[in-house]
Amino acid sequence: MVGGRAPRRLIGTLVAYAVPALRAVRTYDRRWLTVDALAGLTVWALLVPQALAYAQLGGFDPVVGLYASIGALVGYALMGGVREMSVGPEATIALLAASIIAPLAEGDPSRYLALGAGVALVAGILLMLAGVARLGFVTRYLSRPLLVGYVAGSAIVMIVSQLDSLIGVTLVAQDDTLAELSETLRRLAETDRLTLAVGLGVIAVVLVVRRIDRRLPAYLVGVLAAIVASMVLGLEDQGVRVVGDIPPGLPPLGLPRIGLADVQLLLVPAAAIGLLIYADSGVTGQVLARRGGYRVDGDGEFLGLGAANIGASLTGGFPVNGSQSRSFTAADMGARSQLAGIVAVALVIATLLFLTGLFEPLPKAALAGVIIVVAAGLLDVGEFRRLAAIARSEAVLALLATVIVVAVGMLAGVLLIALLSLLLVAQRAARPRRAFLVRVPGTDTYRAADSTPEGHAEPGVLLYRFDAPLFFANAEVFREDLTEAVVQADPPARWAVLDMEAVTDIDSTATQTLAELLEDLGRRGVIVVFARLKSPVAAYLGRAGISAAAEPGRIFLEVDDAVAASRELAPTAEPGRLEGSERS
């Protein structure tokens, strides 16, 4: 009996570790129940209008947003690690999904819905595979300026996409932001004033309620006000387009009806969506965790977000993301666990079963107003100013990312921004900071010459620091710097000290380049020595046959030791030989 318990206990422990929800249940404090329930109620109040609006933004029937919410919240509650995170429909991801699906669906509503669930499924699987492969480092290559620019570009795309619903016209151009904007401006004369009044009214209500108290469900208040106005004034009879029939009942459960060919078409776009989901939600999760005083496993978040998207797919939804507004609201309400999300799920199900009729008279202009308010909040001009204050080039980069998204679209913008990020990484790796050093007066410390105008150079001695690992992309820069300095030195250089403290790694290409440089400088009568050389780098150079890296008198603990030795260098000293004191 005892022998049978041990394996079962081990299996139970492994399962509990693999599924965060089980760990949360085992450690749950019943005193948290009230605050989690209130947080779930508040999240639901935000979620319903947002889900309806973002589904419309993504080209789906509004009810599909509620379908996606159920699977997303349950999936993340099972596998996610951020206790306040609310995952569900979000504006930028919904809009990006629409840009992917629309060309493939070719106007077929049922195929559009299937592809929406399909891209969520593929993105979810890729996210979970990334978690298993521990690829949390990938999003480090998305720089802050590029993400700021992407969000700002997305906000502009969102606003433009809702202008037709706001003024009550149907556009011919649907897939090109600039074309949509141009057509909207040409057709302003066709504006339905009542529709515009509804949209602007909802915007006003939301802004006023938020100004009164940001903890109030401003979006829900605005939507309910629009519903009341629609019913009392008979807006549908006056030509204002409304949401219309919302089928009551639970969503259809099951895999999306797509084939293998569709999966192949969706693979790359789904990877782009997954990257953005993780980048955006990952930042939100880290901030929430720091505020809550706990740690989040970045790789584990891949699993939670992947499970959320797979769940959204299985409930007939579309790709989902962690919501900043809902998540921070849950945190402000004191949510202590994902039970808040489960409460929100129960309320969404109740909405689908009993309250769908309430939302049928909702004007689409009201949802457009909600989306415009959300998008306007993403246009953070202050962030651009902060970037410009740090470095103007950073602000220019953010503006470039914004223009890219608006000009070429969300998906192409994501791919171009990712490529631009990689190019920036490569450029910085290939052209790292490096400097020739001078002595700070009155000390034995050496600093970069360009930042120490009062510094003293050592006659006949070149002091060079390279602030990066040395590898194939930047080895030639290393050689060019030193060769040019030796040629231009006055008086002629007899000694070159290489400060290698920042060279934490080296590859075979750089090793060969260094060997050729040492040979060339030796022919020019220059002795090359190393200061602060890392042991692993020295060992690598030794294995590569560069004897200078292991030769007595060529290695010094500090730069000033090498300079002191250079002062004792006899004028007749032969390159490759060192006469004088040495510390290693």
Side-chain angles (χ1 to χ4, degrees), residues 144-146 148-149 380-399:
R144 179 187 173 199
L146 292 180
V148 168
D380 190 350
V381 177
E383 191 66 24
F384 284 87
R385 289 176 181 162
R386 283 188 287 274
L387 288 174
I390 297 170
R392 188 165 297 180
S393 60
E394 299 272 282
V396 170
L397 192 60
L399 286 172

Side-chain angles (χ1 to χ4, degrees), residues 165-187:
S165 295
L166 187 67
I167 66 174
V169 300
T170 301
L171 300 182
V172 175
Q174 294 290 337
D175 301 324
D176 186 315
T177 300
L178 296 178
E180 284 186 52
L181 179 60
S182 176
E183 184 180 348
T184 301
L185 294 175
R186 290 197 309 269
R187 299 181 61 183

